[in-house]
Amino acid sequence: MILAAGQGTRVRPLTKRTPKPMVPILGKPVLEYLIELLARYGVKEIMVNVSSNHWKIENYFGDGHRWGVEIGYSYEGVREHGEIMPKPLGSAGGMRKIQDFSGFFDETTIVLCGDAIIDLDIHAALSEHWNKKAMASVVALEVPQDQVSNYGIVVADREGKVTSFQEKPKTGKAKSNLASTGIYIFEPAILEIVPPGVEFDIGSQLFPLLAEQGLPFYAQRRTFNWIDIGRVSDYWSVCQRVLRGEIADMRMPGTEVRPGVWVGLNTRIDWATVNVTGPVYIGSGSCLEAGVTIEGPSWIGHGCNLRKNSTVVRSTLFEYTRLSEGVIFNEVIASPQYCVGRHGHTTYHGDESTTLRWGDARA
């Protein structure tokens, strides 16, 4: 099960027209990396719950045959005033809806949040879950104390049995710094605890209930890469780490034409006058005019146009972004419509209060 029905409000404007799991890393949706991971470990049947902009997920992944898996979808919404409106049921409520419809969860189920990139050893996690005869397991990692309010916090005894669970506690109220990674393993009996037909969340409702009842609910501490995209600042950091090659099995597309510089097809670049310091990817159909400077890690999406003497420093430009002559884009995420600084401040195209000038390269 991949949870993909959330609205991604903390990552706006990146998710204004795009479901959060479809936000790209190295040109591929985050959700695609999760599906590839499951396929590598032999998980062939994958349900995805969807809601807002659901067709963008469904049209991209289809039935999953390109990845050697079967993918099914469960839409969460309501009819209001003759219109179909998205209305997520919560992470646990969405699973209960599927179970009530078809009984799909008839054996041990891996549950992943669709907004993180991971390289977890799934076989090892399943083995520990079964060896402890757990009804539910949560994979957890320690986080800095000043970041606990961003996560579900787990308190467990020496054997790993969860004694309490706090969903995004205030820093001074957190009972530990062991954070849920949004990776769960459930036995079918867990869904009998979830009430049918209502919004119900795994972290804030189901997990505290399991801990209070003393059920076999365990935390697993594992060593693996977990790259969470909870906020815009996280997305900027993720792009930087991936471009630097810090994450295994995530390789730069295109052709490496210079050390640390990759390009796609049909690019127009004035190599005699530009200054490009890798790691940098320049997408197909992009144009770099004379005097352009790019300092990596940077990603230039396909169809971009960097006008004369413009500068890009440690940034991500989505497809068809055009930079005006002489502008400097430093540590930002930009599209033809908006520009977001690494700490989340957003400026929209046409805003007269900013000195940045950019637009749509298609026009």
Side-chain angles (χ1 to χ4, degrees):
M1 176 75 182
I2 299 179
L3 304 171
Q7 297 186 32
T9 54
R10 291 190 300 159
V11 196
R12 287 182 179 166
L14 276 63
T15 53
K16 187 174 182 179
R17 295 183 178 88
T18 302
K20 192 175 178 183
M22 294 300 291
V23 172
I25 303 289
L26 295 189
K28 285 169 50 174
V30 172
L31 183 55
E32 187 168 355
Y33 291 105
L34 293 174
I35 290 171
E36 289 174 341
L37 174 73
L38 291 171
R40 284 199 299 272
Y41 280 93
V43 180
K44 301 299 185 184
E45 297 179 353
I46 302 170
M47 281 299 301
V48 182
N49 67 332
V50 294
S51 190
S52 180
N53 291 312
H54 62 98
W55 62 87
K56 293 190 176 182
I57 294 175
E58 295 164 4
N59 290 350
Y60 186 93
F61 291 100
D63 62 7
H65 72 273
R66 284 182 293 163
W67 294 271
V69 300
E70 284 186 84
I71 299 176
Y73 304 95
S74 175
Y75 175 74
E76 297 173 13
V78 295
R79 184 185 296 275
E80 292 183 353
H81 309 294
E83 298 283 337
I84 303 298
M85 304 296 292
K87 187 178 180 182
L89 286 169
S91 47
M95 293 187 69
R96 179 64 196 252
K97 177 178 183 285
I98 294 168
Q99 188 72 343
D100 289 343
F101 183 75
S102 70
F104 175 77
F105 301 110
D106 58 356
E107 56 184 315
T108 304
T109 298
I110 303 155
V111 182
L112 304 177
C113 289
D115 59 359
I117 290 176
I118 60 174
D119 59 2
L120 177 72
D121 185 334
I122 290 177
H123 288 162
L126 284 169
S127 293
E128 182 173 339
H129 173 83
W130 288 323
N131 288 339
K132 290 183 174 179
K133 296 180 171 56
M135 283 182 64
S137 296
V138 54
V139 178
L141 287 173
E142 291 186 356
V143 298
Q145 198 67 40
D146 62 354
Q147 296 182 20
V148 292
S149 61
N150 297 321
Y151 305 104
I153 296 300
V154 182
V155 180
D157 62 20
R158 291 183 179 180
E159 286 71 41
K161 187 173 183 181
V162 178
T163 57
S164 67
F165 191 92
Q166 300 172 284
E167 184 66 6
K168 297 181 175 65
K170 293 182 178 179
T171 302
K173 301 291 185 180
K175 297 179 181 179
S176 82
N177 67 334
L178 192 62
S180 165
T181 61
I183 304 169
Y184 319 124
I185 304 174
F186 291 152
E187 293 304 315
I190 283 293
L191 292 176
E192 297 173 11
I193 301 170
V194 179
V198 298
E199 186 175 337
F200 206 77
D201 185 66
I202 290 174
S204 62
Q205 293 172 284
L206 178 60
F207 280 173
L209 194 60
L210 298 181
E212 288 168 11
Q213 294 182 3
L215 295 172
F217 172 30
Y218 288 88
Q220 296 188 14
R221 299 182 185 227
R222 306 212 147 268
T223 301
F224 68 105
N225 284 302
W226 170 51
I227 308 176
D228 178 45
I229 309 175
R231 300 157 298 176
V232 174
S233 57
D234 295 327
Y235 180 74
W236 181 87
S237 299
V238 167
C239 291
Q240 294 293 294
R241 290 185 61 189
V242 170
L243 286 164
R244 286 196 296 263
E246 295 180 7
I247 311 303
D249 298 319
M250 297 187 70
R251 296 175 177 83
M252 201 79 83
T255 302
E256 189 172 14
V257 296
R258 294 182 175 184
V261 179
W262 289 262
V263 299
L265 300 175
N266 188 40
T267 55
R268 188 168 70 191
I269 302 170
D270 190 344
W271 289 110
T273 64
V274 301
N275 180 20
V276 181
T277 306
V280 168
Y281 172 76
I282 303 166
S284 66
S286 291
C287 173
L288 275 58
E289 296 183 4
V292 165
T293 296
I294 304 177
E295 180 181 329
S298 288
W299 173 275
I300 311 299
H302 67 259
C304 289
N305 184 0
L306 278 58
R307 301 293 303 277
K308 185 178 179 181
N309 297 325
S310 58
T311 299
V312 175
V313 179
R314 294 183 296 278
S315 296
T316 294
L317 305 186
F318 289 143
E319 61 270 17
Y320 299 115
T321 301
R322 183 190 72 244
L323 303 191
S324 297
E325 290 188 14
V327 299
I328 299 174
F329 274 48
N330 183 27
E331 297 188 341
V332 301
I333 305 153
S335 81
Q337 295 81 35
Y338 58 78
C339 178
V340 186
R342 61 172 295 186
H343 299 297
H345 176 72
T346 302
T347 303
Y348 289 93
H349 178 252
D351 186 343
E352 295 182 357
S353 66
T354 179
T355 58
L356 296 176
R357 292 292 177 262
W358 80 101
D360 194 319
R362 291 172 294 184

